[in-house]
Amino acid sequence: ERLNEIREISHFETLDQATWVEVIDDVAYVAVGQSGLQIINVSDPTNPSEIGNIDLLEAACIDVDGDVAYVADWTDGLRSIDISNPAEPQLIDVFDPDDGIYKVQIIGNLAYLAAYRGGLRIVDISDPSNLNPIGHFDTNGEARGIMVIENIAYIADGANGLVLIDVSNLEELSHLGTFDTPGLAHGVFVLGENAYVADFEAGLRIIN
């Protein structure tokens, strides 16, 4: 019955196409493509207002960890942004592997990256001012989505389908298996024993 009452309560015109959002403590961090990272106050969801922004080349995805936002930039690698003062976000460091970074997931002191033709990349972020690459695995496709659970990285790898990588040993990442989906694997979410793959024109694929 509540679903029949779904309605939009407000709208905020972002600086560019909004591709990702994360909300923490009434603040929305939005990836807005060529306009970078836009920070929006949503404490009153009926009247959102901008707090600050920082220009980047092609922001695609964001994962916030404390006072640092890690931005996957499609054309300029992984960027660490100081957001301790959200009105004036500041660039801290850049890891640019010359791959288009589609997605980033932060777990502890590690950033796991879906790095398009660069496959899986893992970066030590224990010092946000010194992003340090420590692992790489060529997935043979175009890594577009990632989810890491219990030392297994599930990679949505474009035309290559769903790729599973054991990341328990960062010095020797190993391939666990590949399932070739009929479309272009673009995103993945893992729940229980199933992986849910957004497979572009082939819709949603559920893989056990």
Side-chain angles (χ1 to χ4, degrees), residues 25-171:
D25 296 333
D26 292 328
V27 177
Y29 302 88
V30 186
V32 287
Q34 294 180 357
S35 292
L37 169 64
Q38 194 166 9
I39 303 175
I40 301 168
N41 183 344
V42 292
S43 57
D44 177 1
T46 67
N47 186 31
S49 59
E50 179 175 297
I51 301 172
N53 67 80
I54 182 171
D55 285 340
L56 302 171
L57 289 182
E58 192 74 40
C61 177
I62 300 165
D63 201 350
V64 175
D65 184 34
D67 287 335
V68 181
Y70 295 90
V71 180
D73 193 301
W74 169 237
T75 57
D76 203 29
L78 178 69
R79 293 183 165 223
S80 54
I81 310 291
D82 182 351
I83 54 172
S84 58
N85 178 4
E88 296 184 3
Q90 300 291 322
L91 177 65
I92 303 173
D93 196 21
V94 179
F95 165 64
D96 184 5
D98 294 326
D99 303 315
I101 307 297
Y102 255 91
K103 295 291 185 294
V104 54
Q105 180 183 357
I106 305 300
I107 301 178
N109 288 326
L110 298 177
Y112 297 85
L113 309 178
Y116 201 55
R117 292 190 176 92
L120 168 66
R121 294 190 180 274
I122 303 175
V123 178
D124 182 346
I125 59 167
S126 55
D127 178 1
S129 66
N130 182 28
L131 302 178
N132 181 32
I134 57 174
H136 173 238
F137 189 92
D138 185 355
T139 56
N140 294 318
E142 297 174 343
R144 300 164 183 247
I146 184 169
M147 190 168 189
V148 180
I149 296 180
E150 295 180 353
N151 288 321
I152 298 176
Y154 299 80
I155 308 290
D157 203 36
N160 196 33
L162 178 66
V163 177
L164 277 63
I165 301 169
D166 184 343
V167 295
S168 58
N169 181 358
L170 296 176
E171 295 181 357

